[in-house]
Amino acid sequence: MLTDQFVEQTVRAAKLVPDDALASAVGSARQAGQPLADVLITKKLVGERALYEASAAAMGVPFVDLHNRAIPPEVLYRISAPLAMNRRVIAYEVDDHALHVAMEDPDDLDTLELLRRATNLEVAPALAIPQAITEVARLYHADIAETVESLAALSASTEPRKERDDRDLLRRADEAPIVRIVDTLLPEA
């Protein structure tokens, strides 16, 4: 999460907004009790992407645009749904060296260490727009709902039990996101 002080310093250093407009936005944010980033974006003083790109540069991490990125399920599910949603982190790429994750707070060392332990991979953080993280997190819910419907349809089949492919049911259950979530959480318990 970007603090108001960090946003103000970043915007000033990157010269994204004239100093007088920035000072006015800082005052408005304090008076309204809103984050400075929200005020700057709402007043259209700076674009959301430009603000987060400048913030990523100031942090020394890459910026990743999740809106325009197709994330393969095998990468997305490297991080369990509860961990992804609670810590606001999305796996978007994996290579021979690291798991690349989009985060609201790439300086969150506790989350980075937890991910490293959970995945047995080095973790390369990147900054992402919070709304994009929320949108990608919805993929977890969609996939879980689809799997539950699929399993329910298979188990409600009117075919005799012997004719059903029990191996298919077991395979689907093993691949279900909820099973992967439990498998991820058990070692942490």
Side-chain angles (χ1 to χ4, degrees), residues 63-143:
F63 169 79
V64 63
D65 185 357
L66 295 176
H67 288 115
N68 299 321
R69 184 179 284 271
I71 304 171
E74 63 272 8
V75 174
L76 182 67
Y77 289 113
R78 293 282 184 127
I79 299 174
S80 68
L83 181 60
M85 289 181 248
N86 289 334
R87 299 294 182 124
R88 307 285 299 151
V89 58
I90 300 291
Y92 66 90
E93 185 178 313
V94 65
D95 59 31
D96 294 338
H97 306 291
L99 177 67
H100 299 265
V101 296
M103 305 176 70
E104 281 185 21
D105 183 6
D107 291 332
D108 182 351
L109 299 178
D110 290 337
T111 298
L112 294 172
E113 180 62 20
L114 180 62
L115 291 172
R116 187 185 66 72
R117 287 184 186 172
T119 63
N120 290 322
L121 292 168
E122 290 302 315
V123 179
L127 182 64
I129 296 171
Q131 183 60 34
I133 291 174
T134 300
E135 290 169 11
V136 173
R138 289 185 187 139
L139 293 175
Y140 284 106
H141 292 298
D143 195 32

Side-chain angles (χ1 to χ4, degrees), residues 30-49:
R30 285 187 184 140
Q31 187 176 19
Q34 292 183 320
L36 178 56
D38 291 351
V39 170
L40 290 168
I41 293 165
T42 302
K43 289 187 172 191
K44 299 186 188 296
L45 295 172
V46 66
E48 187 174 45
R49 182 181 176 109

